[in-house]
Amino acid sequence: MPVAVTPPFHPSDHPKRCSLPLSVFVIFSPNRDYLRPAIPHPSSENKPNLAIPIKVVCPFYAKVAACRFGRTCSRAHLPASPTSNVILLPAMYIDAQLHPVSAADAQHDESLDGPDEAALTARYHDFFADALPEFEAQGRVIQFKTCRNFCQHLRGNVYVQYATAAEAERAVSLFHGRFFERRQLSCWRVDVPTWRGAICGNRRRCPKGDEGCNFLHV
């Protein structure tokens, strides 16, 4: 194990022999027969510090800007880039049928055996007609997506893509903290690289269903 020892001479006593600062000490290594100054090599300045743990980016958050583990996720949730033109309003759309139903409950009540698609669609159309003009008042809306997933971190999430980042930022300043149907909304900008990568490719026959899938069911 390296042992710190006092320098064999004072730098001021030998100006021609040493130009090291006073703060420099030397390290003696029992495996070596010489003393070396504890000074980093110039080429090491641009090398990463391996002592600092580096988190792997969460693959689901990187695609849909939401993760079932939230802040307890062991992987990194990166903030939105300055050029992001997509905003997220978690759980903005609420519908009583967007909840998982256990097999035991479905046996006792046949009406609980999956959502009534016609009624669910009709209620969503009413919501869409009320909400879209509010978002269009802040800029040109490119995409308007609403999740019908049952899992808590995606259920009722509304994603709105604007033409520019400035329009998205203006919408955030208006909708964050605003009340909608007696509930206070949260709103922030997120990165959704592609909708193809964020949306489940086989929602109607998804093996994980609306409850288990981590991609958007819209």
Side-chain angles (χ1 to χ4, degrees), residues 132-168:
L132 182 60
E134 297 288 338
F135 291 104
E136 289 181 327
Q138 309 309 314
R140 186 162 67 93
V141 174
I142 305 299
Q143 295 283 350
F144 187 99
K145 306 289 187 184
T146 304
C147 295
R148 54 168 295 158
N149 301 63
F150 291 167
C151 47
Q152 187 174 3
H153 69 291
L154 292 177
R155 183 190 309 147
N157 287 4
V158 173
Y159 296 78
V160 182
Q161 180 182 5
Y162 282 95
T164 65
E167 294 172 343

mmCIF file of all heavy atoms in Angstrom, residues 132-168:
data_model
loop_
_atom_site.group_PDB
_atom_site.id
_atom_site.type_symbol
_atom_site.label_atom_id
_atom_site.label_comp_id
_atom_site.label_asym_id
_atom_site.label_seq_id
_atom_site.Cartn_x
_atom_site.Cartn_y
_atom_site.Cartn_z
ATOM 1 N N LEU A 132 -58.450 19.829 -27.158
ATOM 2 C CA LEU A 132 -57.627 20.207 -28.303
ATOM 3 C C LEU A 132 -57.632 21.703 -28.588
ATOM 4 O O LEU A 132 -56.558 22.285 -28.823
ATOM 5 C CB LEU A 132 -58.068 19.428 -29.545
ATOM 6 C CG LEU A 132 -57.252 19.691 -30.810
ATOM 7 C CD1 LEU A 132 -55.783 19.324 -30.591
ATOM 8 C CD2 LEU A 132 -57.820 18.922 -32.001
ATOM 9 N N PRO A 133 -58.765 22.399 -28.571
ATOM 10 C CA PRO A 133 -58.713 23.845 -28.825
ATOM 11 C C PRO A 133 -57.852 24.609 -27.822
ATOM 12 O O PRO A 133 -57.241 25.621 -28.182
ATOM 13 C CB PRO A 133 -60.188 24.269 -28.734
ATOM 14 C CG PRO A 133 -60.956 23.023 -29.056
ATOM 15 C CD PRO A 133 -60.167 21.922 -28.467
ATOM 16 N N GLU A 134 -57.807 24.129 -26.584
ATOM 17 C CA GLU A 134 -56.983 24.796 -25.578
ATOM 18 C C GLU A 134 -55.498 24.692 -25.940
ATOM 19 O O GLU A 134 -54.738 25.648 -25.764
ATOM 20 C CB GLU A 134 -57.229 24.162 -24.204
ATOM 21 C CG GLU A 134 -58.650 24.316 -23.693
ATOM 22 C CD GLU A 134 -58.946 25.732 -23.265
ATOM 23 O OE1 GLU A 134 -57.981 26.491 -22.953
ATOM 24 O OE2 GLU A 134 -60.132 26.105 -23.246
ATOM 25 N N PHE A 135 -55.106 23.540 -26.435
ATOM 26 C CA PHE A 135 -53.711 23.368 -26.832
ATOM 27 C C PHE A 135 -53.408 24.105 -28.134
ATOM 28 O O PHE A 135 -52.318 24.661 -28.302
ATOM 29 C CB PHE A 135 -53.388 21.878 -26.986
ATOM 30 C CG PHE A 135 -53.369 21.125 -25.690
ATOM 31 C CD1 PHE A 135 -54.413 20.294 -25.337
ATOM 32 C CD2 PHE A 135 -52.311 21.257 -24.814
ATOM 33 C CE1 PHE A 135 -54.398 19.590 -24.146
ATOM 34 C CE2 PHE A 135 -52.275 20.564 -23.612
ATOM 35 C CZ PHE A 135 -53.328 19.728 -23.275
ATOM 36 N N GLU A 136 -54.355 24.121 -29.055
ATOM 37 C CA GLU A 136 -54.145 24.811 -30.329
ATOM 38 C C GLU A 136 -54.031 26.317 -30.152
ATOM 39 O O GLU A 136 -53.432 27.000 -30.992
ATOM 40 C CB GLU A 136 -55.283 24.473 -31.293
ATOM 41 C CG GLU A 136 -55.243 23.043 -31.818
ATOM 42 C CD GLU A 136 -56.367 22.746 -32.787
ATOM 43 O OE1 GLU A 136 -57.465 23.327 -32.611
ATOM 44 O OE2 GLU A 136 -56.154 21.933 -33.698
ATOM 45 N N ALA A 137 -54.559 26.836 -29.071
ATOM 46 C CA ALA A 137 -54.455 28.272 -28.824
ATOM 47 C C ALA A 137 -53.020 28.695 -28.512
ATOM 48 O O ALA A 137 -52.696 29.887 -28.600
ATOM 49 C CB ALA A 137 -55.379 28.672 -27.672
ATOM 50 N N GLN A 138 -52.149 27.734 -28.178
ATOM 51 C CA GLN A 138 -50.758 28.044 -27.843
ATOM 52 C C GLN A 138 -49.802 27.810 -29.008
ATOM 53 O O GLN A 138 -48.624 28.135 -28.902
ATOM 54 C CB GLN A 138 -50.320 27.193 -26.642
ATOM 55 C CG GLN A 138 -51.253 27.256 -25.462
ATOM 56 C CD GLN A 138 -51.580 28.676 -25.064
ATOM 57 O OE1 GLN A 138 -50.701 29.536 -24.965
ATOM 58 N NE2 GLN A 138 -52.864 28.946 -24.840
ATOM 59 N N GLY A 139 -50.297 27.234 -30.100
ATOM 60 C CA GLY A 139 -49.428 26.983 -31.238
ATOM 61 C C GLY A 139 -50.002 25.894 -32.126
ATOM 62 O O GLY A 139 -51.087 25.359 -31.881
ATOM 63 N N ARG A 140 -49.258 25.556 -33.167
ATOM 64 C CA ARG A 140 -49.715 24.542 -34.118
ATOM 65 C C ARG A 140 -49.431 23.145 -33.569
ATOM 66 O O ARG A 140 -48.282 22.779 -33.342
ATOM 67 C CB ARG A 140 -49.031 24.731 -35.474
ATOM 68 C CG ARG A 140 -49.560 23.789 -36.561
ATOM 69 C CD ARG A 140 -49.172 24.311 -37.937
ATOM 70 N NE ARG A 140 -47.735 24.261 -38.149
ATOM 71 C CZ ARG A 140 -47.098 23.233 -38.728
ATOM 72 N NH1 ARG A 140 -47.796 22.164 -39.140
ATOM 73 N NH2 ARG A 140 -45.800 23.267 -38.911
ATOM 74 N N VAL A 141 -50.496 22.381 -33.358
ATOM 75 C CA VAL A 141 -50.380 21.040 -32.802
ATOM 76 C C VAL A 141 -50.116 20.041 -33.934
ATOM 77 O O VAL A 141 -50.876 19.976 -34.902
ATOM 78 C CB VAL A 141 -51.652 20.659 -32.020
ATOM 79 C CG1 VAL A 141 -51.592 19.204 -31.570
ATOM 80 C CG2 VAL A 141 -51.831 21.581 -30.826
ATOM 81 N N ILE A 142 -49.040 19.265 -33.784
ATOM 82 C CA ILE A 142 -48.682 18.252 -34.774
ATOM 83 C C ILE A 142 -49.276 16.894 -34.395
ATOM 84 O O ILE A 142 -49.811 16.174 -35.248
ATOM 85 C CB ILE A 142 -47.154 18.147 -34.909
ATOM 86 C CG1 ILE A 142 -46.555 19.515 -35.237
ATOM 87 C CG2 ILE A 142 -46.781 17.130 -35.985
ATOM 88 C CD1 ILE A 142 -47.030 20.111 -36.530
ATOM 89 N N GLN A 143 -49.152 16.537 -33.124
ATOM 90 C CA GLN A 143 -49.661 15.252 -32.637
ATOM 91 C C GLN A 143 -50.353 15.460 -31.292
ATOM 92 O O GLN A 143 -49.915 16.278 -30.471
ATOM 93 C CB GLN A 143 -48.524 14.234 -32.469
ATOM 94 C CG GLN A 143 -47.839 13.819 -33.757
ATOM 95 C CD GLN A 143 -48.666 12.824 -34.563
ATOM 96 O OE1 GLN A 143 -49.657 12.293 -34.089
ATOM 97 N NE2 GLN A 143 -48.250 12.565 -35.798
ATOM 98 N N PHE A 144 -51.418 14.689 -31.078
ATOM 99 C CA PHE A 144 -52.145 14.699 -29.798
ATOM 100 C C PHE A 144 -52.407 13.238 -29.442
ATOM 101 O O PHE A 144 -53.207 12.569 -30.091
ATOM 102 C CB PHE A 144 -53.466 15.472 -29.940
ATOM 103 C CG PHE A 144 -54.198 15.665 -28.642
ATOM 104 C CD1 PHE A 144 -54.105 16.861 -27.948
ATOM 105 C CD2 PHE A 144 -54.990 14.656 -28.103
ATOM 106 C CE1 PHE A 144 -54.788 17.045 -26.746
ATOM 107 C CE2 PHE A 144 -55.666 14.830 -26.918
ATOM 108 C CZ PHE A 144 -55.565 16.028 -26.241
ATOM 109 N N LYS A 145 -51.699 12.737 -28.429
ATOM 110 C CA LYS A 145 -51.783 11.332 -28.056
ATOM 111 C C LYS A 145 -52.281 11.206 -26.615
ATOM 112 O O LYS A 145 -51.821 11.936 -25.733
ATOM 113 C CB LYS A 145 -50.411 10.643 -28.168
ATOM 114 C CG LYS A 145 -49.729 10.797 -29.516
ATOM 115 C CD LYS A 145 -50.406 9.993 -30.594
ATOM 116 C CE LYS A 145 -49.595 10.032 -31.885
ATOM 117 N NZ LYS A 145 -50.283 9.316 -32.997
ATOM 118 N N THR A 146 -53.193 10.259 -26.401
ATOM 119 C CA THR A 146 -53.697 9.979 -25.058
ATOM 120 C C THR A 146 -53.562 8.492 -24.778
ATOM 121 O O THR A 146 -53.999 7.662 -25.580
ATOM 122 C CB THR A 146 -55.176 10.396 -24.920
ATOM 123 O OG1 THR A 146 -55.305 11.780 -25.254
ATOM 124 C CG2 THR A 146 -55.668 10.174 -23.498
ATOM 125 N N CYS A 147 -52.956 8.150 -23.643
ATOM 126 C CA CYS A 147 -52.711 6.749 -23.299
ATOM 127 C C CYS A 147 -53.952 6.117 -22.676
ATOM 128 O O CYS A 147 -54.583 6.706 -21.801
ATOM 129 C CB CYS A 147 -51.552 6.635 -22.315
ATOM 130 S SG CYS A 147 -49.979 7.162 -22.973
ATOM 131 N N ARG A 148 -54.231 4.895 -23.098
ATOM 132 C CA ARG A 148 -55.293 4.118 -22.483
ATOM 133 C C ARG A 148 -54.717 2.922 -21.731
ATOM 134 O O ARG A 148 -55.423 1.959 -21.453
ATOM 135 C CB ARG A 148 -56.298 3.653 -23.528
ATOM 136 C CG ARG A 148 -55.696 2.885 -24.698
ATOM 137 C CD ARG A 148 -56.784 2.227 -25.508
ATOM 138 N NE ARG A 148 -57.475 1.205 -24.738
ATOM 139 C CZ ARG A 148 -58.704 0.753 -25.013
ATOM 140 N NH1 ARG A 148 -59.364 1.225 -26.040
ATOM 141 N NH2 ARG A 148 -59.256 -0.183 -24.282
ATOM 142 N N ASN A 149 -53.425 2.999 -21.399
ATOM 143 C CA ASN A 149 -52.807 1.957 -20.583
ATOM 144 C C ASN A 149 -53.442 1.921 -19.197
ATOM 145 O O ASN A 149 -53.903 2.950 -18.680
ATOM 146 C CB ASN A 149 -51.307 2.210 -20.442
ATOM 147 C CG ASN A 149 -50.568 2.257 -21.770
ATOM 148 O OD1 ASN A 149 -50.828 3.136 -22.595
ATOM 149 N ND2 ASN A 149 -49.670 1.317 -21.975
ATOM 150 N N PHE A 150 -53.432 0.762 -18.570
ATOM 151 C CA PHE A 150 -53.936 0.634 -17.211
ATOM 152 C C PHE A 150 -52.852 0.927 -16.172
ATOM 153 O O PHE A 150 -53.173 1.286 -15.043
ATOM 154 C CB PHE A 150 -54.480 -0.780 -16.966
ATOM 155 C CG PHE A 150 -55.751 -1.084 -17.729
ATOM 156 C CD1 PHE A 150 -56.209 -2.388 -17.813
ATOM 157 C CD2 PHE A 150 -56.480 -0.088 -18.356
ATOM 158 C CE1 PHE A 150 -57.383 -2.687 -18.505
ATOM 159 C CE2 PHE A 150 -57.633 -0.363 -19.056
ATOM 160 C CZ PHE A 150 -58.096 -1.673 -19.131
ATOM 161 N N CYS A 151 -51.583 0.713 -16.523
ATOM 162 C CA CYS A 151 -50.502 0.898 -15.550
ATOM 163 C C CYS A 151 -50.434 2.370 -15.131
ATOM 164 O O CYS A 151 -50.667 3.278 -15.920
ATOM 165 C CB CYS A 151 -49.173 0.432 -16.119
ATOM 166 S SG CYS A 151 -48.812 1.001 -17.786
ATOM 167 N N GLN A 152 -50.114 2.585 -13.865
ATOM 168 C CA GLN A 152 -50.242 3.899 -13.257
ATOM 169 C C GLN A 152 -49.356 4.952 -13.912
ATOM 170 O O GLN A 152 -49.757 6.116 -14.021
ATOM 171 C CB GLN A 152 -49.938 3.811 -11.763
ATOM 172 C CG GLN A 152 -50.206 5.101 -11.000
ATOM 173 C CD GLN A 152 -50.024 4.928 -9.509
ATOM 174 O OE1 GLN A 152 -49.642 3.857 -9.048
ATOM 175 N NE2 GLN A 152 -50.286 5.973 -8.759
ATOM 176 N N HIS A 153 -48.160 4.582 -14.343
ATOM 177 C CA HIS A 153 -47.250 5.605 -14.864
ATOM 178 C C HIS A 153 -47.608 6.057 -16.272
ATOM 179 O O HIS A 153 -47.049 7.051 -16.769
ATOM 180 C CB HIS A 153 -45.805 5.088 -14.831
ATOM 181 C CG HIS A 153 -45.514 3.983 -15.801
ATOM 182 N ND1 HIS A 153 -46.048 2.725 -15.662
ATOM 183 C CD2 HIS A 153 -44.753 3.935 -16.930
ATOM 184 C CE1 HIS A 153 -45.620 1.951 -16.637
ATOM 185 N NE2 HIS A 153 -44.842 2.660 -17.433
ATOM 186 N N LEU A 154 -48.559 5.367 -16.941
ATOM 187 C CA LEU A 154 -48.975 5.760 -18.290
ATOM 188 C C LEU A 154 -50.460 6.085 -18.390
ATOM 189 O O LEU A 154 -50.878 6.723 -19.356
ATOM 190 C CB LEU A 154 -48.633 4.650 -19.289
ATOM 191 C CG LEU A 154 -47.152 4.378 -19.565
ATOM 192 C CD1 LEU A 154 -46.995 3.190 -20.516
ATOM 193 C CD2 LEU A 154 -46.464 5.609 -20.148
ATOM 194 N N ARG A 155 -51.246 5.652 -17.431
ATOM 195 C CA ARG A 155 -52.709 5.774 -17.531
ATOM 196 C C ARG A 155 -53.149 7.234 -17.679
ATOM 197 O O ARG A 155 -52.871 8.085 -16.845
ATOM 198 C CB ARG A 155 -53.366 5.175 -16.289
ATOM 199 C CG ARG A 155 -54.890 5.177 -16.316
ATOM 200 C CD ARG A 155 -55.445 4.806 -14.957
ATOM 201 N NE ARG A 155 -54.842 3.581 -14.473
ATOM 202 C CZ ARG A 155 -54.612 3.339 -13.186
ATOM 203 N NH1 ARG A 155 -54.903 4.251 -12.278
ATOM 204 N NH2 ARG A 155 -54.071 2.193 -12.818
ATOM 205 N N GLY A 156 -53.816 7.519 -18.769
ATOM 206 C CA GLY A 156 -54.370 8.851 -18.987
ATOM 207 C C GLY A 156 -53.366 9.925 -19.353
ATOM 208 O O GLY A 156 -53.725 11.111 -19.412
ATOM 209 N N ASN A 157 -52.117 9.537 -19.628
ATOM 210 C CA ASN A 157 -51.115 10.542 -20.005
ATOM 211 C C ASN A 157 -51.464 11.157 -21.361
ATOM 212 O O ASN A 157 -51.853 10.454 -22.290
ATOM 213 C CB ASN A 157 -49.721 9.922 -20.083
ATOM 214 C CG ASN A 157 -49.154 9.600 -18.718
ATOM 215 O OD1 ASN A 157 -49.821 9.758 -17.702
ATOM 216 N ND2 ASN A 157 -47.922 9.136 -18.697
ATOM 217 N N VAL A 158 -51.282 12.454 -21.453
ATOM 218 C CA VAL A 158 -51.541 13.181 -22.696
ATOM 219 C C VAL A 158 -50.231 13.768 -23.203
ATOM 220 O O VAL A 158 -49.531 14.479 -22.466
ATOM 221 C CB VAL A 158 -52.583 14.293 -22.495
ATOM 222 C CG1 VAL A 158 -52.713 15.157 -23.752
ATOM 223 C CG2 VAL A 158 -53.944 13.696 -22.133
ATOM 224 N N TYR A 159 -49.895 13.437 -24.439
ATOM 225 C CA TYR A 159 -48.703 13.967 -25.105
ATOM 226 C C TYR A 159 -49.163 14.889 -26.225
ATOM 227 O O TYR A 159 -50.011 14.516 -27.033
ATOM 228 C CB TYR A 159 -47.856 12.843 -25.704
ATOM 229 C CG TYR A 159 -47.268 11.870 -24.721
ATOM 230 C CD1 TYR A 159 -48.041 10.859 -24.164
ATOM 231 C CD2 TYR A 159 -45.919 11.938 -24.361
ATOM 232 C CE1 TYR A 159 -47.499 9.944 -23.271
ATOM 233 C CE2 TYR A 159 -45.365 11.027 -23.479
ATOM 234 C CZ TYR A 159 -46.163 10.033 -22.937
ATOM 235 O OH TYR A 159 -45.625 9.130 -22.058
ATOM 236 N N VAL A 160 -48.578 16.075 -26.261
ATOM 237 C CA VAL A 160 -48.908 17.041 -27.321
ATOM 238 C C VAL A 160 -47.601 17.486 -27.965
ATOM 239 O O VAL A 160 -46.702 17.994 -27.287
ATOM 240 C CB VAL A 160 -49.671 18.256 -26.773
ATOM 241 C CG1 VAL A 160 -50.041 19.204 -27.917
ATOM 242 C CG2 VAL A 160 -50.928 17.823 -26.030
ATOM 243 N N GLN A 161 -47.520 17.302 -29.280
ATOM 244 C CA GLN A 161 -46.342 17.739 -30.023
ATOM 245 C C GLN A 161 -46.678 19.014 -30.781
ATOM 246 O O GLN A 161 -47.649 19.064 -31.542
ATOM 247 C CB GLN A 161 -45.879 16.659 -31.003
ATOM 248 C CG GLN A 161 -44.650 17.068 -31.802
ATOM 249 C CD GLN A 161 -44.229 16.005 -32.807
ATOM 250 O OE1 GLN A 161 -44.905 15.001 -32.977
ATOM 251 N NE2 GLN A 161 -43.105 16.219 -33.485
ATOM 252 N N TYR A 162 -45.861 20.042 -30.561
ATOM 253 C CA TYR A 162 -46.036 21.321 -31.248
ATOM 254 C C TYR A 162 -45.040 21.433 -32.401
ATOM 255 O O TYR A 162 -44.096 20.643 -32.510
ATOM 256 C CB TYR A 162 -45.834 22.476 -30.266
ATOM 257 C CG TYR A 162 -47.027 22.727 -29.361
ATOM 258 C CD1 TYR A 162 -47.081 22.161 -28.096
ATOM 259 C CD2 TYR A 162 -48.085 23.516 -29.782
ATOM 260 C CE1 TYR A 162 -48.166 22.380 -27.260
ATOM 261 C CE2 TYR A 162 -49.171 23.749 -28.966
ATOM 262 C CZ TYR A 162 -49.211 23.179 -27.706
ATOM 263 O OH TYR A 162 -50.300 23.397 -26.887
ATOM 264 N N ALA A 163 -45.261 22.434 -33.218
ATOM 265 C CA ALA A 163 -44.385 22.650 -34.364
ATOM 266 C C ALA A 163 -43.010 23.139 -33.930
ATOM 267 O O ALA A 163 -42.005 22.831 -34.573
ATOM 268 C CB ALA A 163 -45.022 23.636 -35.334
ATOM 269 N N THR A 164 -42.938 23.912 -32.839
ATOM 270 C CA THR A 164 -41.665 24.471 -32.381
ATOM 271 C C THR A 164 -41.524 24.288 -30.872
ATOM 272 O O THR A 164 -42.508 24.098 -30.146
ATOM 273 C CB THR A 164 -41.560 25.968 -32.708
ATOM 274 O OG1 THR A 164 -42.559 26.687 -31.966
ATOM 275 C CG2 THR A 164 -41.764 26.219 -34.200
ATOM 276 N N ALA A 165 -40.281 24.390 -30.412
ATOM 277 C CA ALA A 165 -40.011 24.302 -28.979
ATOM 278 C C ALA A 165 -40.569 25.508 -28.229
ATOM 279 O O ALA A 165 -40.989 25.393 -27.076
ATOM 280 C CB ALA A 165 -38.509 24.172 -28.737
ATOM 281 N N ALA A 166 -40.588 26.667 -28.879
ATOM 282 C CA ALA A 166 -41.120 27.871 -28.236
ATOM 283 C C ALA A 166 -42.613 27.718 -27.949
ATOM 284 O O ALA A 166 -43.101 28.144 -26.887
ATOM 285 C CB ALA A 166 -40.866 29.093 -29.117
ATOM 286 N N GLU A 167 -43.345 27.119 -28.874
ATOM 287 C CA GLU A 167 -44.779 26.891 -28.647
ATOM 288 C C GLU A 167 -44.994 25.892 -27.507
ATOM 289 O O GLU A 167 -45.905 26.060 -26.683
ATOM 290 C CB GLU A 167 -45.426 26.383 -29.931
ATOM 291 C CG GLU A 167 -45.441 27.401 -31.055
ATOM 292 C CD GLU A 167 -45.907 26.816 -32.374
ATOM 293 O OE1 GLU A 167 -45.921 25.562 -32.508
ATOM 294 O OE2 GLU A 167 -46.268 27.599 -33.283
ATOM 295 N N ALA A 168 -44.147 24.873 -27.453
ATOM 296 C CA ALA A 168 -44.256 23.893 -26.377
ATOM 297 C C ALA A 168 -43.978 24.539 -25.023
ATOM 298 O O ALA A 168 -44.687 24.278 -24.043
ATOM 299 C CB ALA A 168 -43.297 22.735 -26.626
#
